[in-house]
Amino acid sequence: MFNFAEKYDEYLNFFNISLENCLNSVDKTAPNVIKDAMRYAVGDGGKRVRPILCFAACEMLGKDKSAVKNLALGIEFIHSYSLVHDDLPAMDNDDYRRGKLSTHKKFGEAIGILAGDALLNFAFETMLKEENPSQFYLAAMSLIAEYAGYSGMIGGQTLDLQNENNANATEKDLYDVYLNKTAKLISAPMLAASCVNGKKYYDEIKEYGYHLGILFQITDDIMDECGTLEQIGKTPHKDDAENKLTSVRIFGLDGAKERAFTHYTQAKKIISEIDKIGFLTAFTDKMYERQS
């Protein structure tokens, strides 16, 4: 019988071992402070949602998780760098991340910026360690670069900043931010796994990733409104204090919960059309349940 917790732990342990090996490979001639800041930013924290989705999608589509190991590491490095930069005073100005001091508060603002830069470069260095990469693997790397860049995550972060204190922001503005800032980097690991497997179920996974990513962000909004530092690992109520564009601001708390349910049911419906979906179905359930 399928056991979600056991499978999650299997993926998490595989990732953590791979991460440790990868971090240990960092050039020994690099300054210790940058190596320490990189390790601090990416290590010891987070649920590793994106690499776990990469492993799960890859196995669902027919290949062993080891086929996407370096892609999963690269995506987590990209995600971690984005959090380091997001916490900076010029962006969200947050003192805490993953339940501990944010990287720039621990190492100083300048090293925080450089640590983020280093992790972004290290992401592609790691993905390029793949021996004899196929055209499908290179397509996966290209997709990750696109979804993390100016037409994806960075574009979404830009829209997010532009909409702060925008009293006229609309539902469309909100969804433009959420699609690019969050949903694309939730989709990218699963679409990368699809690429490695010859783009199997690519369109279905793309649509599923959209709804899962929006669900992820809306439940984050709800938790920011209702959660504690211990629960969410970062300063609560900051979005409201800084008048950020959120689903709670546009729809109200009850309306945001209704939207979360809509995207949850759509994600479940889409994923039901694919074989061997046990893990992703349970993952979607857990994603929805975390708001309560």
Side-chain angles (χ1 to χ4, degrees):
M1 183 177 178
F2 173 78
N3 186 308
F4 175 79
E6 286 183 5
K7 196 66 178 174
Y8 193 101
D9 285 344
E10 176 195 321
Y11 290 146
L12 185 60
N13 290 336
F14 178 73
F15 176 79
N16 285 336
I17 292 169
S18 301
L19 175 64
E20 186 63 23
N21 291 337
C22 189
L23 291 174
N24 287 339
S25 74
V26 173
D27 191 335
K28 300 298 187 291
T29 64
N32 286 332
V33 67
I34 199 66
K35 291 187 291 186
D36 290 345
M38 289 168 66
R39 181 178 285 274
Y40 182 85
V42 78
D44 187 31
K47 298 179 179 64
R48 310 302 189 190
V49 165
R50 291 153 192 82
I52 283 173
L53 286 174
C54 194
F55 297 147
C58 193
E59 290 196 343
M60 178 183 74
L61 297 172
K63 288 187 182 293
D64 185 78
K65 58 184 178 293
S66 60
V68 291
K69 180 187 72 174
N70 287 335
L71 295 174
L73 286 164
I75 290 167
E76 188 68 4
F77 293 149
I78 290 170
H79 173 57
S80 295
Y81 113 76
S82 76
L83 299 182
V84 172
H85 282 186
D86 203 39
D87 290 336
L88 289 166
M91 299 277 279
D92 278 359
N93 193 25
D94 209 318
D95 291 348
Y96 294 95
R97 175 66 66 177
R98 293 172 171 170
K100 61 184 183 181
L101 285 174
S102 50
T103 303
H104 78 276
K105 296 299 291 186
K106 176 78 172 178
F107 293 90
E109 189 174 341
I111 295 299
I113 293 169
L114 291 172
D117 295 343
L119 284 170
L120 176 57
N121 284 277
F122 193 46
F124 288 93
E125 180 183 337
T126 299
M127 290 188 284
L128 286 167
K129 288 179 180 177
E130 193 75 12
E131 292 185 12
N132 302 314
S134 68
Q135 61 176 336
F136 300 116
Y137 184 92
L138 295 175
M141 281 191 63
S142 178
L143 178 134
I144 292 166
E146 176 188 345
Y147 273 39
Y150 64 87
S151 61
M153 180 186 69
I154 290 174
Q157 289 176 321
T158 303
L159 293 172
D160 191 27
L161 289 171
Q162 289 179 334
N163 277 290
E164 282 185 14
N165 301 307
N166 178 8
N168 299 314
T170 65
E171 178 180 333
K172 182 183 182 301
D173 293 324
L174 178 76
Y175 272 80
D176 285 346
V177 171
Y178 285 5
L179 167 63
N180 290 288
K181 183 179 180 182
T182 305
K184 284 193 174 178
L185 213 63
I186 292 288
S187 302
M190 296 183 288
L191 289 173
S194 173
C195 287
V196 169
N197 283 276
K199 299 195 79 171
K200 193 174 182 180
Y201 288 114
Y202 186 91
D203 292 339
E204 291 87 348
I205 291 172
K206 183 176 182 180
E207 190 173 359
Y208 167 71
Y210 165 80
H211 288 289
L212 186 69
I214 301 295
L215 170 64
F216 183 94
Q217 186 58 64
I218 293 176
T219 55
D220 251 18
D221 294 344
I222 294 168
M223 292 168 70
D224 181 80
E225 183 77 12
C226 304
T228 64
L229 173 63
E230 291 73 23
Q231 289 172 319
I232 64 178
K234 57 184 180 179
T235 307
H237 313 301
K238 279 192 90 276
D239 291 343
D240 185 54
E242 296 178 0
N243 204 25
K244 300 279 282 186
L245 179 57
T246 70
S247 58
V248 174
R249 178 176 143 196
I250 293 292
F251 305 120
L253 183 59
D254 289 342
K257 290 180 178 180
E258 291 173 4
R259 289 297 176 118
F261 181 73
T262 296
H263 289 289
Y264 165 65
T265 54
Q266 285 296 311
K268 290 282 290 282
K269 179 181 177 183
I270 295 160
I271 202 67
S272 70
E273 300 172 5
I274 304 176
D275 296 331
K276 300 178 182 177
I277 59 166
F279 185 87
L280 289 181
T281 298
F283 186 94
T284 309
D285 291 339
K286 298 290 184 183
M287 184 73 69
Y288 177 69
E289 291 164 3
R290 74 191 186 120
Q291 65 180 300
S292 54

